[in-house]
Amino acid sequence: MILFAARDEAGRPMIGRGSGVRVDRQSGHLHFLASRSQWPRAVGEALAGRPIATTYVRATDYKACQIKGRILEAGPADEAQRARGEAYVAEQLARMMALGVTRMQLSSTLSDQELVCLTIEPQAIFEQTPGPGAGRRLTPEAAK
């Protein structure tokens, strides 16, 4: 599961779920996909130059990390990115249904419609797994 948080000009938080992500190994940038139709306010406030937090959660045990960064670009997903988003949503639906979550329950959180790609420059990574280490900043070596 992936989530993101942006904020509007007044600093009010806007949250949504991601529909896939790819790491560019050369630049280190994240190419984060989100559905404008599913999360219009959050995607609408995810503008170039603004901060963003993305959180990645393994549904089987809630092991999680958060990457905070800055949005470099935001725009409609291209054909390859849309295909990646469709594959991500299908994979997540299968994984969650295997855990007993119904498709109906997931219909309001996962979407591959009107995908937008946010290019993000990561600036810090944190452990977010519930427990004593939650919120601890990770070093690049510990994040591997």
Side-chain angles (χ1 to χ4, degrees):
M1 299 183 297
I2 53 180
L3 303 100
F4 71 104
R7 62 181 182 214
D8 66 12
E9 287 183 8
R12 290 182 297 259
M14 306 288 162
I15 62 169
R17 286 197 186 254
S19 297
V21 66
R22 183 182 69 80
V23 178
D24 181 320
R25 300 276 183 209
Q26 287 190 329
S27 67
H29 297 158
L30 305 177
H31 298 282
F32 188 93
L33 299 170
S35 168
R36 180 180 301 281
S37 61
Q38 193 81 4
W39 309 104
R41 293 182 68 199
V43 170
E45 296 297 344
L47 302 172
R50 289 200 178 163
I52 189 167
T54 59
T55 303
Y56 306 85
V57 182
R58 190 166 55 201
T60 53
D61 61 5
Y62 288 98
K63 183 164 180 59
C65 71
Q66 182 180 67
I67 298 174
K68 293 184 180 184
R70 182 174 62 92
I71 301 169
L72 300 176
E73 296 177 41
D78 64 25
E79 186 176 327
Q81 292 163 336
R82 285 192 306 273
R84 191 170 14 269
E86 290 167 6
Y88 171 85
V89 168
E91 180 181 338
Q92 291 310 307
L93 286 170
R95 285 183 182 191
M96 295 303 286
M97 289 189 325
L99 293 172
V101 181
T102 68
R103 187 176 191 91
M104 178 63 101
Q105 290 170 310
L106 296 169
S107 66
S108 65
T109 61
L110 284 170
S111 176
D112 57 15
Q113 303 301 301
E114 288 187 67
L115 292 178
V116 170
C117 182
L118 307 175
T119 301
I120 300 168
E121 177 183 49
Q123 297 172 331
I125 185 169
F126 300 87
E127 182 174 343
Q128 292 299 337
T129 304
R136 176 176 53 99
R137 187 176 184 147
L138 298 174
T139 63
E141 297 77 32
K144 291 180 181 176

